[in-house]
Each structure stands twice: as C-alpha cells, then as structure tokens.
Amino acid sequence: MQKINEAENILKQTTKQKKSTLGQLSAINQQIKTRSQLISAIESEIDLLDSEISEIDLLYDALDSDLENLKEEYARMIYGLSKNNSSYGKLAFLFSAESFNQFLMRMKYLQQYSEARKTQVNQIQTVQELLKENRLSKQTKRVEQEILLNEQIAENEKLQSLKDKQSNVIAELGEKENLLIAEIEKNKRAAVEISNLIDKLIAAEASKASDTRVENTPEGKILSASFAENKNRLPWPVNQGFISQGFGEQNHPVLRQVVIKNNGINIQTQANESVKVVFDGVVTFEGSVRDMAGSVVIIQHGEYRTVYTNIKNVSVKRGDQVKAGQSIGQVYTNSEGLSEMKFQVRQGAKVLNPEIWLSKK
C-alpha cells in the first residue's frame, strides 16, 4: 500500500502537464505492478482463510461427534444409576460382598462412578464451549473473507482502469516516434559522456604512482572491502520512488522494436526529493555533462564508485569527504514534470547492476 501511495503521488505530478509522457507511462506501469502484487496478496489471504475455515469445519464436526458420544455415555450412566438409585440398593450392593476386600472395592467403585459422572458433565460442557468458540471463529473469518473479496473486486476495477489509461498513453506516445528516438539518442550520448568521464578519472589516477592511488592505500582497501560487504544492503539514494528503468538491455516501453541500454537504474520520484550518498567516500567529480540537464556527482569508495545524475542544487564539491545518508542535492524535474535520477555502481570501469547492491524496498 505504501508503494501504491508513492506511485499515485508521482503519477499526479506527471499528469499535471495534461499530456502523455514517458514519465507518466512509467508511473502507470508501476501502479499496475504494485496493484497486481496487492491483488495477489489478497488472493493468498483468501486462500489461507479458506484453508482455516475448512480446518474449523473439520474440527467442528469432530467436536460435534465427540459431544454425541459423551452424551450417549452419560445417558448410559444415568440409566445404570436409576436402577440402583435408593440408599437401600447401595447398601445391599455393599453388604452383599463376599469378603472385606470386595466390600472396599465396591465402595471405591461407587465413589469412582460418581466422580466419572461429574467428569463426564464437565467434558460435555467443555466440548460445548469449544464448539461455540469455533462457530464464532468461523463467522469472524467469513466476515474477513467477505471484506477481502470486496477489496479484490475494487482493486481489479482500479487495475483495469489503469490498463486502459496505459493503452491510451502508449497510443499517444506512439505518435511521437521521432521525439522518442531523439530522446533515446540524447540519453545514449549522455551515457557515453559519463563513461568517458569515469575512464578519465581512472586514467588520471593510474598516471600517478601506484602507491598513491586511492584504492591502493590501506584506507582505500578497507573502504573497498567494506563497500563489497554491503552488497544487497546499501540504502536507496532517495527516500521515495521506484525503478522506472532497470539495468542492462531492454525493449523501449513504447517503441518495442528499439532496444535501450542502461548502465545503471533510473529512479522516478517526487519533485525536490533529496539525493543521499549510499556509502562513505570522497567526491571525485561534480559538474555538468553534455545532453543532461541536471548535474552529475561521482563518489569514490576505494575501487568502487557510485554515480548520481540529474541533480540540482548540488551541495558538495570535488575532494569532499562524504558520509552515508548525507544529502548532496535534489532530484532535477524536467519540463514534463518528470523527477527522475539515474544511479550507477562501478568497480573500476566495470558497470554493476545497482539493484543487487541496494537493499530491498
């Protein structure tokens, strides 16, 4: 539900422009994904309740059968007692014993018979209470099931509405093929610029004496090892948002015949969202890159680097020591109302999938 609320707020921001955009499509896709997950969760809960209700039915039948057996046993006891109900009958039963030991055994038998009747009554009452509790439990679970079924119906309706909206946005964007292709080419150039920039940083370090390179210092090696140990546990660079474009090669969301490549992940979020450092390190670059409106910040963590792009109001400069969780600026919002940053993780020049480095959200 938290993911759905985040996506809804981001979608509202992108729809203020009153025109179909890729950012709007990404937000709709995220809504469809999270609502589908919610429906699956509801279905699982309903299945679980069905199973619990079936178990209650079986237990109820077993208890009901036990109750009938207990009542029959008790009836036989009462019948047996009625045949020997008088004090004279009890005395006759006792004093007709052939020995003193038999007398004691008969006396003990009468005492145990009386106690057994009391126990039988208590057992009947206990089973009746259990049956009552099971009946109430079943009624409660039926109500829960009905609520979940209604929620599922409502979510299915919302999901269908979103799918209709998705189809409309894709159709409208499909008419802007030239603009989309131009945007793809622009992103490619920006990605090459960032890769070249990192290569230059690595080359500049390599030109120095090897023992002075950041990753070869004792501190750098410790930082590298510490960074590697935090795989799957790094905090997200923004508090709110979702991955609007994953790592690696994938089909374009509208131009299906076009394959796009991403050296990191795109995270779509809300306007003015704070961008935070994911791990301790030193800023090795802060500035602009061709074909990218916002700024780029590169932070080194020993042999690893994290790259933050599409940032405004940058609050750090080259050479600054930064700590995990420290804000370095805000996400840039473009003219279409899209607030989206790009995040990369590198080991030397090698690009890594940030999704397997960040903690689960």
Side-chain angles (χ1 to χ4, degrees):
M1 288 305 300
Q2 184 180 345
K3 286 182 179 179
I4 287 172
N5 290 334
E6 282 185 10
E8 279 181 345
N9 292 331
I10 293 168
L11 181 58
K12 286 176 185 175
Q13 180 184 323
T14 58
T15 52
K16 284 180 182 177
Q17 304 302 313
K18 305 297 182 186
K19 62 180 180 180
S20 295
T21 63
L22 282 175
Q24 187 179 347
L25 179 60
S26 294
I28 291 170
N29 289 342
Q30 178 66 10
Q31 279 274 51
I32 289 172
K33 178 183 174 182
T34 51
R35 288 196 179 277
S36 296
Q37 289 172 344
L38 179 58
I39 289 169
S40 294
I42 291 172
E43 287 173 347
S44 295
E45 283 198 63
I46 290 171
D47 289 342
L48 182 61
L49 284 171
D50 280 339
S51 176
E52 289 178 354
I53 289 169
S54 295
E55 288 176 7
I56 290 171
D57 285 338
L58 289 172
L59 184 58
Y60 188 92
D61 290 341
L63 287 170
D64 197 42
S65 177
D66 287 346
L67 184 61
E68 289 302 315
N69 291 335
L70 287 169
K71 285 179 177 179
E72 288 176 9
E73 288 176 16
Y74 187 69
R76 286 195 293 271
M77 283 184 179
I78 296 299
Y79 178 74
L81 184 63
S82 66
K83 294 174 68 176
N84 192 18
N85 201 27
S86 65
S87 297
Y88 173 78
K90 290 178 183 177
L91 289 172
F93 175 67
L94 289 171
F95 288 107
S96 64
E98 295 179 357
S99 65
F100 183 71
N101 282 341
Q102 193 180 65
F103 175 85
L104 291 177
M105 291 296 289
R106 289 187 177 189
M107 182 178 285
K108 191 173 183 180
Y109 165 75
L110 288 174
Q111 289 172 345
Q112 289 178 340
Y113 194 81
S114 177
E115 289 172 5
R117 280 179 25 243
K118 291 177 184 177
T119 301
Q120 199 79 353
V121 170
N122 290 335
Q123 286 179 334
I124 288 170
Q125 289 173 343
T126 300
V127 172
Q128 285 174 330
E129 285 299 316
L130 285 170
L131 282 168
K132 185 179 178 182
E133 288 173 14
N134 274 271
R135 191 180 294 113
L136 287 172
S137 178
K138 182 176 178 179
Q139 289 171 350
T140 301
K141 291 189 182 298
R142 284 289 187 198
V143 171
E144 290 175 10
Q145 190 181 49
E146 190 66 30
I147 291 169
L148 286 172
L149 283 168
N150 290 333
E151 286 180 4
Q152 185 182 24
I153 291 167
E155 285 302 322
N156 279 327
E157 289 174 355
K158 290 176 185 175
L159 187 60
Q160 187 55 51
S161 175
L162 281 167
K163 286 181 177 179
D164 292 341
K165 189 183 290 187
Q166 179 193 49
S167 298
N168 292 335
V169 171
I170 289 173
E172 289 181 22
L173 286 171
E175 296 173 0
K176 304 174 184 177
E177 185 173 337
N178 291 336
L179 290 174
L180 293 176
I181 290 173
E183 183 70 21
I184 291 167
E185 292 303 317
K186 180 181 171 184
N187 289 336
K188 280 182 182 178
R189 290 194 299 271
V192 170
E193 284 289 319
I194 290 172
S195 292
N196 290 341
L197 177 61
I198 291 172
D199 289 341
K200 287 178 184 177
L201 290 172
I202 293 171
E205 289 167 7
S207 66
K208 300 175 185 177
S210 61
D211 59 347
T212 63
R213 289 176 64 191
V214 174
E215 58 262 44
N216 285 335
T217 63
E219 295 83 1
K221 289 178 179 178
I222 291 170
L223 198 59
S224 296
S226 183
F227 188 91
E229 287 170 2
N230 279 273
K231 193 173 185 179
N232 295 316
R233 292 186 293 181
L234 293 176
W236 278 53
V238 289
N239 289 333
Q240 295 189 68
F242 58 88
I243 296 174
S244 49
Q245 186 181 326
F247 175 80
E249 292 187 347
Q250 55 223 277
N251 290 327
H252 190 275
V254 178
L255 309 174
R256 293 294 179 180
Q257 74 280 11
V258 176
V259 175
I260 52 178
K261 184 181 179 181
N262 195 350
N263 288 333
I265 57 172
N266 295 10
I267 303 175
Q268 193 169 332
T269 183
Q270 298 192 71
N272 302 317
E273 183 75 12
S274 179
V275 178
K276 299 176 182 178
V277 180
V278 300
F279 200 78
D280 298 356
V282 59
V283 178
T284 55
F285 179 84
E286 178 276 311
S288 59
V289 169
R290 187 166 64 94
D291 290 311
M292 189 170 287
S295 296
V296 176
V297 175
I298 299 175
I299 299 175
Q300 187 163 4
H301 320 275
E303 65 174 325
Y304 293 91
R305 288 175 178 79
T306 51
V307 184
Y308 311 76
T309 66
N310 279 356
I311 304 175
K312 66 177 183 178
N313 302 328
V314 177
S315 57
V316 292
K317 62 183 183 300
R318 193 176 304 193
D320 283 354
Q321 296 283 339
V322 290
K323 293 288 185 182
Q326 178 179 335
S327 175
I328 57 174
Q330 296 173 311
V331 176
Y332 175 83
T333 302
N334 67 15
S335 59
E336 294 182 338
L338 174 63
S339 302
E340 183 180 64
M341 70 160 294
K342 298 173 186 287
F343 176 69
Q344 293 184 25
V345 178
R346 301 234 182 178
Q347 185 178 17
K350 183 182 178 183
V351 293
L352 305 174
N353 183 358
E355 286 190 61
I356 61 176
W357 286 86
L358 295 176
S359 59
K360 297 298 178 186
K361 200 166 183 283

